[in-house]
């Protein structure tokens, strides 16, 4: 293995390099990286003059040297010489690796057709080119494409159902709020900048912070009001709050008459959604629901920061839409520091034709990313009736750990007739199943463009240092394969800087020369537009209380019978995975503070701070079952069984289990990871994964 060296140099000769955190996080933090005169990274910190980051970043990224200079980074191409998953490889050259990939892809295409090859990726980098450029190769060759569903689809769909856009109030306005509602998110652990602005509001305006989640966590501890609900019951809480708002004269009827579609019908619909009704569903006391409703109803500057927990539920789209409706009932959108926000993806207007090859025909089929286990094990419906997958290229993701129904995923990756190429920074569990492993650059070692999901900046992350060994960027790999496989697309012939420059120009966003001088461009729409005071993004300008869920695209990923059951107005939609006497608990797989999906699990400090995998269980439940604090227990369902240590924890409702992850599978006793228990059935209306909705049993572990 190539030796990777780093050293602490004198800070007198360093430079501060402005760039962007590339990881799968809405914060997309602006970074200042101290680099020595020998081009070694010395320090990573938050950028003060990026006004959303405001100088604050998470601890794991501040320790990025530990990851960048990790001794186990992949630095040379490898060919498998053992069994799949055995992690036995030999070093080969790039020419050998590319030649074998081209030969195998060409042979498989000739035998089984181009759509038997599936290019699979996700958000290990959020760079527009390094993440999405793989789609250019899918289009150029007619390979199967990927319908990305593992992260945001239910929550984005639910927000768009109300507003017509995935965009909202400037997130910096949280600092000018009188009440900040953090719902379905644990930003102390996952989006530290959210807390930065919320706490500013508390310090400067005396704002109240409300946290709504399924367990009492680091964010709850900083909140003035913490509402701990049962998983998947958010809409019941939202409906009861709006019932109280109408009941107590706290609904802004004039605003509703101008900006909402069916306010009178909606008010009538809510008459039966009483606090008592919601209490039985959510597990909250009626007094808690009443107090929350009174707070938001009497505080015009209430900012609803709606998080990605909504994306992890089978009824998540309905729940997101219901929570969003509260800001419309109160008229909070009218006020500075009021309204709602989830993500800003629709404000940027990128022209990604060159990056993704959008001038070429669409892939012949789009396979659901989250159903990779079913796809690789031959499920006809998941394959869209199009025949098996015989070859894959995987970039930026580790499906052996992060994908649902992981036992089935591992069975699929183990197929000897599946030719698998993995382009990675470390030997992940997915990479151990590869026939060819290619070493990948990290963000400081290539050029890319980024956008903030949780803020409003378009950003350049320019190359700052050289990559170790023989690491290639994603763009380099895709371009090399495109050319060798015979594509004439221009995108394969341009280097990253040229392609990004042309993308910026085509998007009306200056060029690379300008971006290198000004790497963070504030794209926030004006006040009226971001507060929807010129109208919501529908033809009539009205916010939608009434939703036809069957209108959302793409179609064909969720059964029509399920779509027809979705409530048209906010309501508790009870489609959660059925709890039974045999499986009476609901398992939530929440994000851990020191990891980001499966990234940072390779760093020693993050692993030490997290300790070990453990399941939080209410002491009353543990006592009934006979599970001692700190002892081994076993969680299971019809998809798998996991052995894990128990942690007695009163900050959740009885019947709920919490596992903060994603720990590698091999970190669990027995080597079976937590996503072996997660279902891959698609979440309505267009797909998704219910990571927070798994019916399970739990018992004391009995050594076999």
């Amino acid at each position: 293995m190539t030796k990777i060296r780093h050293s602490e140099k004198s800070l007198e000769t360093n430079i501060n390099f402005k760039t962007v955190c590339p990881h799968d996080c809405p914060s997309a933090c602006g970074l200042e990286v101290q680099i020595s005169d020998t081009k070694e990274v010395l320090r990573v910190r938050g950028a003060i003059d990026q006004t959303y980051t405001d100088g604050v970043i998470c601890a794991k990224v501040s320790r990025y040297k530990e990851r960048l200079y990790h001794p186990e980074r992949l630095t040379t191409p490898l060919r498998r010489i053992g069994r799949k998953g055995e992690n036995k490889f030999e070093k080969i050259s790039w020419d050998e690796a590319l030649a074998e990939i081209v030969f195998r892809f060409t042979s498989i295409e000739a035998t089984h057709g181009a759509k038997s090859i599936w290019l699979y990726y996700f958000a290990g980098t959020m760079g527009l080119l390094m993440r999405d450029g793989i789609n250019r190769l899918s289009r150029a060759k007619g390979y199967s494409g990927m319908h990305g569903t593992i992260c945001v689809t239910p929550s984005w769909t639910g927000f768009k159902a109300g507003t017509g856009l995935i965009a909202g109030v400037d997130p910096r306005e949280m600092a000018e709020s009188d009440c900040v509602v953090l719902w379905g998110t644990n930003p102390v652990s996952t989006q530290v900048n959210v807390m930065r602005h919320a706490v500013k509001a508390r310090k400067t305006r005396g704002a109240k912070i409300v946290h709504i989640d399924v367990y009492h966590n680091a964010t709850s501890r900083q909140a003035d009001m913490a509402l701990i609900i049962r998983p998947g019951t958010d809409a019941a809480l939202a409906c009861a709050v709006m019932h109280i708002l109408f009941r107590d004269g706290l609904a802004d009827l004039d605003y509703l008459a101008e900006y909402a579609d069916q306010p009178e019908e909606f008010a009538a619909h809510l008459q039966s959604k009483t606090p008592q009704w919601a209490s039985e569903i959510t597990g909250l006391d009626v007094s808690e629901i009443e107090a929350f409703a009174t707070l938001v109803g009497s505080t015009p500057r209430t900012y609803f920061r709606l998080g990605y927990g909504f994306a992890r539920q089978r009824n998540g789209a309905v729940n997101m839409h219901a929570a969003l409706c509260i800001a419309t009932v109160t008229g909070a959108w009218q006020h500075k520091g009021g309204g709602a926000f989830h993500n800003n993806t629709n404000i940027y207007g990128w022209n990604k034709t060159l990056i993704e090859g959008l001038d070429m025909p669409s892939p012949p089929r789009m396979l659901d990313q989250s159903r990779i286990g079913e796809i690789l094990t031959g499920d006809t419906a998941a394959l869209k009736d199009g025949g098996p997958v015989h070859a894959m290229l995987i970039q930026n993701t580790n499906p052996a750990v992060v994908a649902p129904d992981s036992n089935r995923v591992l069975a699929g990756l183990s197929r000897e007739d599946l030719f698998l190429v993995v382009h990675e920074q470390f030997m992940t569990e997915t990479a151990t199943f590869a026939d060819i492993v290619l070493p990948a650059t990290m963000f400081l070692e290539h050029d890319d463009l980024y956008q903030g999901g949780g803020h409003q900046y378009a950003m350049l992350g320019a190359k700052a240092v050289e990559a170790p060994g023989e690491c290639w960027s994603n763009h380099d790999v895709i371009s090399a394969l495109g050319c060798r496989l015979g594509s004439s697309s221009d995108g394969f012939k341009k280097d990253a800087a040229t392609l990004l420059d042309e993308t910026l120009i085509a998007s009306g966003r200056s060029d690379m020369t300008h971006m290198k001088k000004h790497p963070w461009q504030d794209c926030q729409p004006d006040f009226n537009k971001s507060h929807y005071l010129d109208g919501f993004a529908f033809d009539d300008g009205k916010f939608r209380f009434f939703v036809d869920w069957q209108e959302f695209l793409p179609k064909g990923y969720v059964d029509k019978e399920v779509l027809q059951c979705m409530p048209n107005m906010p309501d508790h939609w009870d489609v959660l995975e059925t709890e039974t006497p045999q499986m009476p608990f609901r398992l939530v797989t929440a994000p851990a503070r020191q990891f980001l999906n499966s990234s940072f699990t390779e760093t020693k400090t993050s692993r030490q701070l997290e300790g070990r995998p453990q399941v939080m269980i209410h002491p009353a439940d543990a006592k009934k079952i006979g599970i001692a604090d700190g002892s081994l227990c076993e969680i299971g369902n019809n998809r798998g069984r996991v052995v894990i240590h128990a942690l007695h924890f009163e900050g959740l409702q009885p019947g709920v289990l919490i596992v903060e992850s994603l720990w590698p599978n091999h970190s669990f006793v027995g080597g079976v990871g937590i996503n072996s228990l997660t279902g891959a059935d698609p979440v309505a209306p267009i797909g998704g994964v219910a990571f927070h909705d798994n019916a399970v049993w739990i018992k004391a572990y009995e050594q076999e």
Side-chain angles (χ1 to χ4, degrees):
M1 177 178 292
T2 301
K3 186 177 181 181
I4 304 170
R5 297 176 293 106
H6 76 284
S7 60
E8 296 289 346
K9 299 292 183 180
S10 170
L11 297 184
E12 296 177 0
T13 59
N14 69 9
I15 61 170
N16 286 331
F17 187 85
K18 294 182 178 181
T19 186
V20 187
C21 177
H23 285 279
D24 186 10
C25 169
S27 289
C29 291
L31 303 178
E32 290 183 0
V33 181
Q34 291 183 342
I35 300 175
S36 73
D37 56 359
T38 57
K39 293 294 185 180
E40 292 179 291
V41 172
L42 303 175
R43 183 180 178 187
V44 178
R45 61 188 178 188
I48 296 174
D49 54 348
Q50 205 267 40
T51 58
Y52 180 75
T53 300
D54 198 26
V56 176
I57 60 172
C58 67
K60 54 187 172 287
V61 171
S62 71
R63 301 189 297 266
Y64 214 87
K65 278 203 313 178
E66 186 178 3
R67 193 167 192 273
L68 188 70
Y69 297 117
H70 198 293
E72 294 178 8
R73 271 194 71 177
L74 297 173
T75 58
T76 186
L78 304 170
R79 178 193 288 125
R80 178 171 62 89
I81 56 175
R83 297 188 305 275
K84 288 202 169 189
E86 194 177 10
N87 196 13
K88 288 187 177 181
F89 293 89
E90 63 179 357
K91 294 181 180 180
I92 57 175
S93 69
W94 270 101
D95 284 340
E96 290 176 290
L98 293 170
E100 183 163 345
I101 295 166
V102 169
F103 174 77
R104 294 294 299 273
F105 275 25
T106 302
S107 300
I108 288 167
E109 179 180 351
T111 304
H112 301 287
K115 65 182 178 180
S116 68
I117 301 171
W118 189 23
L119 307 189
Y120 190 93
Y121 68 102
F122 204 54
T125 174
M126 294 289 278
L128 302 187
L129 176 59
M130 301 301 166
R131 181 189 63 197
D132 301 332
I134 194 171
N135 293 320
R136 185 174 357 110
L137 185 56
S138 292
R139 287 174 174 267
K141 293 298 297 176
Y143 297 154
S144 289
M146 190 191 79
H147 174 39
T149 58
I150 204 165
C151 186
V152 300
T153 40
S155 57
W156 280 21
T157 305
F159 196 94
K160 189 174 182 179
T163 62
L165 280 179
I166 305 167
V169 175
D170 187 335
R172 294 168 295 193
E173 284 189 34
M174 278 184 289
E176 301 180 75
S177 301
D178 294 323
C179 177
V180 179
V181 179
L182 306 173
W183 197 332
T185 179
N186 178 13
V188 169
S189 291
T190 62
Q191 293 184 64
V192 66
N193 315 93
V194 171
M195 293 305 297
R196 174 73 163 176
H197 296 284
V199 171
K200 276 186 180 181
R202 173 189 277 161
K203 290 180 177 179
T204 61
R205 301 181 60 83
K208 301 296 184 184
I209 298 175
V210 180
H211 185 228
I212 305 172
D213 210 333
V214 297
Y215 71 117
H216 201 277
N217 50 46
T219 303
S220 309
R221 292 192 288 274
Q222 294 196 26
D224 299 285
M225 178 185 294
L227 303 177
I228 308 304
I229 63 176
R230 294 183 181 124
T233 65
D234 308 75
L237 173 59
C239 287
V241 167
M242 292 184 286
H243 168 98
I244 295 167
L245 295 174
F246 280 107
R247 182 198 71 192
D248 294 354
L250 298 173
D252 189 332
L253 301 182
D254 292 337
Y255 176 84
L256 289 169
E258 182 176 355
Y259 285 100
D261 62 341
Q262 299 182 29
E264 293 179 359
E265 294 88 340
F266 187 46
H269 165 74
L270 292 170
Q271 286 182 0
S272 63
K273 313 304 178 188
T274 65
Q276 292 78 13
W277 166 82
S279 175
E280 293 180 4
I281 296 170
T282 63
L284 294 174
D285 291 339
V286 168
S287 61
E288 293 179 287
I289 300 171
E290 292 275 1
F292 175 48
T294 300
L295 175 62
V296 299
S298 59
T299 311
R301 288 190 176 202
T302 294
Y303 192 108
F304 289 84
R305 181 70 183 234
L306 305 175
Y308 292 87
F310 290 98
R312 317 292 189 241
Q313 308 163 353
R314 283 178 175 78
N315 55 6
V318 171
N319 291 344
M320 167 63 86
H321 176 248
L324 175 66
C325 287
I326 301 175
T328 302
V329 172
T330 64
W333 296 102
Q334 302 168 93
H335 307 288
K336 188 156 191 164
F341 181 86
H342 177 55
N343 188 285
N344 250 345
T345 194
N346 284 155
I347 72 171
Y348 295 101
W350 296 106
N351 182 333
K352 295 172 69 178
T353 299
L354 264 177
I355 289 176
E356 296 197 53
L358 300 179
D359 54 345
M360 294 183 281
S362 298
R365 63 176 173 178
M366 298 293 288
L367 299 178
D368 187 339
Q369 168 194 24
S370 301
R371 302 182 72 183
I372 178 175
E374 295 165 282
I375 288 165
L376 294 184
T377 54
D379 183 276
T380 302
L383 284 163
K384 311 291 284 186
D385 299 317
V389 168
H390 288 279
M392 293 182 72
L393 166 62
I394 297 178
Q395 289 185 324
N396 311 326
T397 188
N398 182 16
V401 174
V402 305
D405 201 2
S406 59
N407 283 335
R408 189 174 292 189
V409 175
L410 295 172
L413 294 174
S414 298
R415 284 172 39 204
E416 285 294 338
D417 67 333
L418 175 71
F419 178 66
L420 177 62
V421 181
V422 174
H423 186 200
E424 253 296 353
Q425 297 163 347
F426 294 93
M427 185 58 72
T428 64
E429 285 171 272
T430 301
T432 66
F433 289 88
D435 297 281
I436 299 290
V437 177
L438 305 174
T441 52
M442 291 189 181
F443 77 104
L444 290 168
E445 300 159 354
H446 58 242
D447 295 320
D448 213 340
L449 291 169
Y450 302 83
Q451 65 181 46
H455 55 77
Q456 62 292 310
Y457 281 97
M459 298 161 289
L460 173 66
K463 181 177 177 178
V465 297
E466 293 299 324
E470 301 174 50
C471 294
W472 282 23
S473 74
N474 291 2
H475 175 67
D476 291 338
V477 169
I478 294 301
S479 296
L481 289 175
C483 291
R484 286 167 171 78
L485 287 164
S487 173
S488 59
S489 171
D490 283 346
F492 298 125
K493 301 171 185 176
K494 302 176 188 291
D495 64 21
T498 301
L499 197 150
L500 294 171
D501 186 58
E502 294 183 19
T503 295
L504 283 165
I505 294 168
S507 303
R509 297 210 175 278
S510 66
D511 55 24
M512 283 286 280
T513 300
H514 178 83
M515 287 291 284
K516 285 183 177 180
K517 295 178 181 177
H518 309 282
W520 306 316
Q521 293 187 359
D522 191 334
C523 303
Q524 183 65 43
D526 64 31
F527 183 89
N528 277 15
K529 188 170 184 179
S530 60
H531 284 254
Y532 295 100
L533 297 183
D534 297 327
F536 290 89
F538 297 102
D539 291 341
D540 61 2
K542 304 282 190 180
F543 182 92
R544 292 289 188 267
F545 290 132
F546 184 92
V547 179
D548 182 356
W549 296 103
Q550 297 184 66
E551 292 182 349
F552 286 89
L553 300 174
K555 297 183 178 181
Y557 293 92
V558 177
D559 291 342
K560 290 182 180 179
E561 294 78 10
V562 176
L563 294 177
Q564 291 168 355
C565 293
M566 297 184 75
N568 296 120
M569 282 190 169
D571 207 340
H572 175 60
W573 186 34
D574 192 5
V575 291
L576 305 178
E577 188 160 65
T578 304
E579 295 169 331
T580 67
Q582 293 75 35
M583 294 187 295
F585 287 87
R586 192 165 306 284
L587 170 67
V588 172
T589 58
R593 186 169 187 169
Q594 303 299 332
F595 303 151
L596 205 169
N597 300 325
S598 67
S599 296
F600 297 95
T601 60
E602 67 282 335
T603 60
K604 182 179 180 181
T605 304
S606 286
R607 292 177 65 90
Q608 287 177 337
L609 290 170
E610 286 298 329
R612 65 186 182 190
Q614 56 189 4
V615 57
M616 302 179 199
I617 181 172
H618 196 281
D621 288 330
K623 184 177 180 180
K624 290 178 185 177
I625 301 169
I627 297 175
D629 190 26
S631 67
L632 281 175
C633 61
E634 190 172 11
I635 317 170
N637 57 21
N638 59 355
R639 292 181 285 268
R641 303 167 70 170
V642 173
V643 179
I644 190 170
H645 288 87
L647 174 66
H648 290 189
F649 183 64
E650 293 184 347
L652 42 68
Q653 299 220 15
V656 177
L657 305 174
I658 306 288
V659 175
E660 292 183 335
S661 218
L662 283 166
W663 284 92
N665 298 333
H666 61 73
S667 296
F668 289 81
V669 177
V672 179
I674 199 63
N675 274 331
S676 63
L677 306 178
T678 304
D681 50 302
V683 171
I686 61 172
V689 183
F691 289 107
H692 295 184
D693 177 16
N694 304 289
V696 297
W697 49 258
I698 184 170
K699 64 181 183 180
Y701 178 60
E702 299 177 3
Q703 190 82 35
E704 295 180 357

